[in-house]
Amino acid sequence: SNNIRGNQVMLEKAIEYEVGHFVLVSTDKAVRPTNIMGASKRVCELLVQSYMGNGTRMMAVRFGNVVGSSGSVIPLFREQIERGGPVTVTHPEVTRYFMTIPEASQLILQAGAQGKGGETFILAMGTPIKIADMARDLIRLSGKEPDEDIEVRFSGLRQGEKLYEELITEGEGIVPTTHKKILVLKTGGDWNGMGSQEAFRKHLLDQIHALYTAALLHDVQGIRQKMKEIVPEYEVQESTCVL
């Protein structure tokens, strides 16, 4: 309701009011998604492609974690350290890409300026960092020793959580742009096998309408099934929904 419907409303309003540029901030979790959030963001990317060409330049920007943003792991680690631990990490091998808020903001603006419409931009995130190493570094920076003064405890991967995040999925090719930190995905011309953008948009909107109906009915299995139809690479995780 928030990610997909909200995005659709914004796309339609951008066209109605002749907005010059529309940049969807997507996520690396949209690549081979393993949870509803990632799958919903992939649907948003498809919506951008389906609505483009109506006077507004529409594009998506896909990247990973932003240090200091809402939901960032670093404030959580600091709070756990202040309490004396333990610092909880899901898995010893889990890695993530990170960038700063100014970096992310500047690169979004750069991608928006470069975009002609329909592109999905990938922001070069550098080298992925082990979350366990980050936790130990933060403990040392606080004047403590990891696993001596403050325990690093592994809690296990959460449902739908990946060890390694990816920025592109199979079949997506990337090409450089004039900005060294921005790449763009090659887009095919077959509109997901639909032949034309109009047919692609109609098919996608029919699927999304059925998804909205399932959401209104709180039909968890129906939501999963419809999301899988829209995003075939979505790896559905079985879980219990608590309302």
Side-chain angles (χ1 to χ4, degrees), residues 128-148:
I129 298 169
K130 276 191 177 183
I131 302 298
D133 291 346
M134 179 187 289
R136 292 189 173 96
D137 287 344
L138 285 170
I139 291 170
R140 291 189 186 97
L141 286 170
S142 71
K144 307 288 185 181
E145 274 301 311
D147 301 316
E148 291 181 16

PDB file of all heavy atoms in Angstrom, residues 128-148:
ATOM      1  N   PRO A 128      32.082  -4.032  -0.231  1.00  0.00           N
ATOM      2  CA  PRO A 128      31.164  -4.394   0.861  1.00  0.00           C
ATOM      3  C   PRO A 128      31.926  -4.622   2.166  1.00  0.00           C
ATOM      4  O   PRO A 128      33.080  -5.063   2.161  1.00  0.00           O
ATOM      5  CB  PRO A 128      30.511  -5.687   0.362  1.00  0.00           C
ATOM      6  CG  PRO A 128      31.431  -6.228  -0.676  1.00  0.00           C
ATOM      7  CD  PRO A 128      32.117  -5.053  -1.288  1.00  0.00           C
ATOM      8  N   ILE A 129      31.270  -4.315   3.269  1.00  0.00           N
ATOM      9  CA  ILE A 129      31.907  -4.393   4.588  1.00  0.00           C
ATOM     10  C   ILE A 129      31.226  -5.469   5.413  1.00  0.00           C
ATOM     11  O   ILE A 129      29.998  -5.577   5.425  1.00  0.00           O
ATOM     12  CB  ILE A 129      31.775  -3.039   5.317  1.00  0.00           C
ATOM     13  CG1 ILE A 129      32.498  -1.937   4.520  1.00  0.00           C
ATOM     14  CG2 ILE A 129      32.313  -3.115   6.740  1.00  0.00           C
ATOM     15  CD1 ILE A 129      32.190  -0.541   5.025  1.00  0.00           C
ATOM     16  N   LYS A 130      32.042  -6.271   6.118  1.00  0.00           N
ATOM     17  CA  LYS A 130      31.480  -7.255   7.047  1.00  0.00           C
ATOM     18  C   LYS A 130      30.887  -6.526   8.252  1.00  0.00           C
ATOM     19  O   LYS A 130      31.566  -5.721   8.894  1.00  0.00           O
ATOM     20  CB  LYS A 130      32.556  -8.234   7.508  1.00  0.00           C
ATOM     21  CG  LYS A 130      32.800  -9.398   6.571  1.00  0.00           C
ATOM     22  CD  LYS A 130      33.681 -10.441   7.251  1.00  0.00           C
ATOM     23  CE  LYS A 130      33.880 -11.648   6.341  1.00  0.00           C
ATOM     24  NZ  LYS A 130      34.679 -12.693   7.004  1.00  0.00           N
ATOM     25  N   ILE A 131      29.638  -6.843   8.547  1.00  0.00           N
ATOM     26  CA  ILE A 131      28.967  -6.191   9.674  1.00  0.00           C
ATOM     27  C   ILE A 131      29.652  -6.544  10.996  1.00  0.00           C
ATOM     28  O   ILE A 131      29.764  -5.701  11.894  1.00  0.00           O
ATOM     29  CB  ILE A 131      27.475  -6.565   9.726  1.00  0.00           C
ATOM     30  CG1 ILE A 131      26.782  -6.173   8.413  1.00  0.00           C
ATOM     31  CG2 ILE A 131      26.784  -5.901  10.899  1.00  0.00           C
ATOM     32  CD1 ILE A 131      26.804  -4.693   8.104  1.00  0.00           C
ATOM     33  N   ALA A 132      30.142  -7.772  11.119  1.00  0.00           N
ATOM     34  CA  ALA A 132      30.836  -8.182  12.351  1.00  0.00           C
ATOM     35  C   ALA A 132      32.105  -7.355  12.556  1.00  0.00           C
ATOM     36  O   ALA A 132      32.420  -6.958  13.686  1.00  0.00           O
ATOM     37  CB  ALA A 132      31.169  -9.669  12.296  1.00  0.00           C
ATOM     38  N   ASP A 133      32.835  -7.096  11.468  1.00  0.00           N
ATOM     39  CA  ASP A 133      34.052  -6.266  11.576  1.00  0.00           C
ATOM     40  C   ASP A 133      33.692  -4.846  11.987  1.00  0.00           C
ATOM     41  O   ASP A 133      34.387  -4.218  12.799  1.00  0.00           O
ATOM     42  CB  ASP A 133      34.797  -6.239  10.239  1.00  0.00           C
ATOM     43  CG  ASP A 133      35.427  -7.581   9.875  1.00  0.00           C
ATOM     44  OD1 ASP A 133      35.506  -8.449  10.780  1.00  0.00           O
ATOM     45  OD2 ASP A 133      35.821  -7.754   8.711  1.00  0.00           O
ATOM     46  N   MET A 134      32.598  -4.318  11.428  1.00  0.00           N
ATOM     47  CA  MET A 134      32.152  -2.977  11.792  1.00  0.00           C
ATOM     48  C   MET A 134      31.792  -2.912  13.274  1.00  0.00           C
ATOM     49  O   MET A 134      32.152  -1.953  13.976  1.00  0.00           O
ATOM     50  CB  MET A 134      30.938  -2.589  10.949  1.00  0.00           C
ATOM     51  CG  MET A 134      30.379  -1.217  11.279  1.00  0.00           C
ATOM     52  SD  MET A 134      28.826  -0.885  10.407  1.00  0.00           S
ATOM     53  CE  MET A 134      29.440  -0.705   8.748  1.00  0.00           C
ATOM     54  N   ALA A 135      31.095  -3.934  13.755  1.00  0.00           N
ATOM     55  CA  ALA A 135      30.709  -3.967  15.173  1.00  0.00           C
ATOM     56  C   ALA A 135      31.950  -3.964  16.074  1.00  0.00           C
ATOM     57  O   ALA A 135      32.013  -3.216  17.056  1.00  0.00           O
ATOM     58  CB  ALA A 135      29.866  -5.209  15.449  1.00  0.00           C
ATOM     59  N   ARG A 136      32.953  -4.774  15.719  1.00  0.00           N
ATOM     60  CA  ARG A 136      34.181  -4.841  16.527  1.00  0.00           C
ATOM     61  C   ARG A 136      34.952  -3.520  16.479  1.00  0.00           C
ATOM     62  O   ARG A 136      35.516  -3.080  17.490  1.00  0.00           O
ATOM     63  CB  ARG A 136      35.055  -6.005  16.055  1.00  0.00           C
ATOM     64  CG  ARG A 136      34.439  -7.370  16.362  1.00  0.00           C
ATOM     65  CD  ARG A 136      35.402  -8.524  16.104  1.00  0.00           C
ATOM     66  NE  ARG A 136      34.844  -9.787  16.567  1.00  0.00           N
ATOM     67  CZ  ARG A 136      34.213 -10.645  15.797  1.00  0.00           C
ATOM     68  NH1 ARG A 136      34.071 -10.389  14.499  1.00  0.00           N
ATOM     69  NH2 ARG A 136      33.724 -11.766  16.296  1.00  0.00           N
ATOM     70  N   ASP A 137      34.976  -2.881  15.302  1.00  0.00           N
ATOM     71  CA  ASP A 137      35.655  -1.584  15.194  1.00  0.00           C
ATOM     72  C   ASP A 137      34.980  -0.536  16.082  1.00  0.00           C
ATOM     73  O   ASP A 137      35.659   0.258  16.749  1.00  0.00           O
ATOM     74  CB  ASP A 137      35.646  -1.098  13.738  1.00  0.00           C
ATOM     75  CG  ASP A 137      36.617  -1.881  12.860  1.00  0.00           C
ATOM     76  OD1 ASP A 137      37.497  -2.561  13.412  1.00  0.00           O
ATOM     77  OD2 ASP A 137      36.476  -1.808  11.626  1.00  0.00           O
ATOM     78  N   LEU A 138      33.645  -0.522  16.102  1.00  0.00           N
ATOM     79  CA  LEU A 138      32.916   0.437  16.932  1.00  0.00           C
ATOM     80  C   LEU A 138      33.166   0.184  18.417  1.00  0.00           C
ATOM     81  O   LEU A 138      33.264   1.129  19.205  1.00  0.00           O
ATOM     82  CB  LEU A 138      31.420   0.374  16.625  1.00  0.00           C
ATOM     83  CG  LEU A 138      30.970   1.026  15.314  1.00  0.00           C
ATOM     84  CD1 LEU A 138      29.511   0.691  15.018  1.00  0.00           C
ATOM     85  CD2 LEU A 138      31.159   2.537  15.357  1.00  0.00           C
ATOM     86  N   ILE A 139      33.264  -1.081  18.791  1.00  0.00           N
ATOM     87  CA  ILE A 139      33.569  -1.413  20.194  1.00  0.00           C
ATOM     88  C   ILE A 139      34.951  -0.878  20.566  1.00  0.00           C
ATOM     89  O   ILE A 139      35.142  -0.269  21.630  1.00  0.00           O
ATOM     90  CB  ILE A 139      33.482  -2.939  20.420  1.00  0.00           C
ATOM     91  CG1 ILE A 139      32.029  -3.405  20.301  1.00  0.00           C
ATOM     92  CG2 ILE A 139      34.044  -3.312  21.794  1.00  0.00           C
ATOM     93  CD1 ILE A 139      31.859  -4.914  20.256  1.00  0.00           C
ATOM     94  N   ARG A 140      35.937  -1.085  19.682  1.00  0.00           N
ATOM     95  CA  ARG A 140      37.301  -0.597  19.950  1.00  0.00           C
ATOM     96  C   ARG A 140      37.338   0.928  20.011  1.00  0.00           C
ATOM     97  O   ARG A 140      38.048   1.512  20.850  1.00  0.00           O
ATOM     98  CB  ARG A 140      38.262  -1.102  18.874  1.00  0.00           C
ATOM     99  CG  ARG A 140      38.509  -2.608  18.920  1.00  0.00           C
ATOM    100  CD  ARG A 140      39.631  -3.032  17.988  1.00  0.00           C
ATOM    101  NE  ARG A 140      39.761  -4.486  17.951  1.00  0.00           N
ATOM    102  CZ  ARG A 140      39.223  -5.249  16.999  1.00  0.00           C
ATOM    103  NH1 ARG A 140      38.544  -4.690  15.997  1.00  0.00           N
ATOM    104  NH2 ARG A 140      39.371  -6.560  17.038  1.00  0.00           N
ATOM    105  N   LEU A 141      36.578   1.593  19.126  1.00  0.00           N
ATOM    106  CA  LEU A 141      36.537   3.059  19.129  1.00  0.00           C
ATOM    107  C   LEU A 141      35.920   3.611  20.414  1.00  0.00           C
ATOM    108  O   LEU A 141      36.170   4.759  20.780  1.00  0.00           O
ATOM    109  CB  LEU A 141      35.743   3.560  17.911  1.00  0.00           C
ATOM    110  CG  LEU A 141      36.452   3.451  16.561  1.00  0.00           C
ATOM    111  CD1 LEU A 141      35.487   3.743  15.411  1.00  0.00           C
ATOM    112  CD2 LEU A 141      37.647   4.410  16.491  1.00  0.00           C
ATOM    113  N   SER A 142      35.122   2.787  21.093  1.00  0.00           N
ATOM    114  CA  SER A 142      34.535   3.209  22.371  1.00  0.00           C
ATOM    115  C   SER A 142      35.461   2.922  23.552  1.00  0.00           C
ATOM    116  O   SER A 142      35.094   3.169  24.696  1.00  0.00           O
ATOM    117  CB  SER A 142      33.190   2.504  22.582  1.00  0.00           C
ATOM    118  OG  SER A 142      33.388   1.128  22.853  1.00  0.00           O
ATOM    119  N   GLY A 143      36.667   2.401  23.244  1.00  0.00           N
ATOM    120  CA  GLY A 143      37.644   2.133  24.299  1.00  0.00           C
ATOM    121  C   GLY A 143      37.521   0.773  24.943  1.00  0.00           C
ATOM    122  O   GLY A 143      38.139   0.516  25.987  1.00  0.00           O
ATOM    123  N   LYS A 144      36.743  -0.110  24.337  1.00  0.00           N
ATOM    124  CA  LYS A 144      36.549  -1.460  24.871  1.00  0.00           C
ATOM    125  C   LYS A 144      37.148  -2.495  23.923  1.00  0.00           C
ATOM    126  O   LYS A 144      37.444  -2.206  22.762  1.00  0.00           O
ATOM    127  CB  LYS A 144      35.053  -1.749  25.062  1.00  0.00           C
ATOM    128  CG  LYS A 144      34.309  -0.722  25.880  1.00  0.00           C
ATOM    129  CD  LYS A 144      34.663  -0.793  27.348  1.00  0.00           C
ATOM    130  CE  LYS A 144      33.794   0.172  28.147  1.00  0.00           C
ATOM    131  NZ  LYS A 144      34.146   0.148  29.601  1.00  0.00           N
ATOM    132  N   GLU A 145      37.275  -3.722  24.419  1.00  0.00           N
ATOM    133  CA  GLU A 145      37.760  -4.827  23.590  1.00  0.00           C
ATOM    134  C   GLU A 145      36.592  -5.753  23.246  1.00  0.00           C
ATOM    135  O   GLU A 145      35.889  -6.213  24.147  1.00  0.00           O
ATOM    136  CB  GLU A 145      38.855  -5.620  24.301  1.00  0.00           C
ATOM    137  CG  GLU A 145      40.254  -5.067  24.129  1.00  0.00           C
ATOM    138  CD  GLU A 145      40.687  -4.998  22.682  1.00  0.00           C
ATOM    139  OE1 GLU A 145      40.535  -6.008  21.945  1.00  0.00           O
ATOM    140  OE2 GLU A 145      41.163  -3.929  22.255  1.00  0.00           O
ATOM    141  N   PRO A 146      36.409  -6.026  21.950  1.00  0.00           N
ATOM    142  CA  PRO A 146      35.331  -6.953  21.567  1.00  0.00           C
ATOM    143  C   PRO A 146      35.584  -8.352  22.096  1.00  0.00           C
ATOM    144  O   PRO A 146      36.737  -8.819  22.140  1.00  0.00           O
ATOM    145  CB  PRO A 146      35.371  -6.913  20.031  1.00  0.00           C
ATOM    146  CG  PRO A 146      36.717  -6.383  19.668  1.00  0.00           C
ATOM    147  CD  PRO A 146      37.140  -5.503  20.785  1.00  0.00           C
ATOM    148  N   ASP A 147      34.517  -9.011  22.546  1.00  0.00           N
ATOM    149  CA  ASP A 147      34.525 -10.382  23.056  1.00  0.00           C
ATOM    150  C   ASP A 147      35.247 -10.512  24.397  1.00  0.00           C
ATOM    151  O   ASP A 147      35.341 -11.610  24.948  1.00  0.00           O
ATOM    152  CB  ASP A 147      35.141 -11.353  22.025  1.00  0.00           C
ATOM    153  CG  ASP A 147      34.377 -11.340  20.711  1.00  0.00           C
ATOM    154  OD1 ASP A 147      33.138 -11.364  20.761  1.00  0.00           O
ATOM    155  OD2 ASP A 147      35.013 -11.265  19.651  1.00  0.00           O
ATOM    156  N   GLU A 148      35.783  -9.394  24.905  1.00  0.00           N
ATOM    157  CA  GLU A 148      36.346  -9.379  26.261  1.00  0.00           C
ATOM    158  C   GLU A 148      35.494  -8.468  27.149  1.00  0.00           C
ATOM    159  O   GLU A 148      34.863  -8.918  28.097  1.00  0.00           O
ATOM    160  CB  GLU A 148      37.796  -8.895  26.233  1.00  0.00           C
ATOM    161  CG  GLU A 148      38.766  -9.871  25.568  1.00  0.00           C
ATOM    162  CD  GLU A 148      40.190  -9.375  25.575  1.00  0.00           C
ATOM    163  OE1 GLU A 148      40.500  -8.429  26.340  1.00  0.00           O
ATOM    164  OE2 GLU A 148      41.017  -9.924  24.813  1.00  0.00           O
TER     165      GLU A 148
END
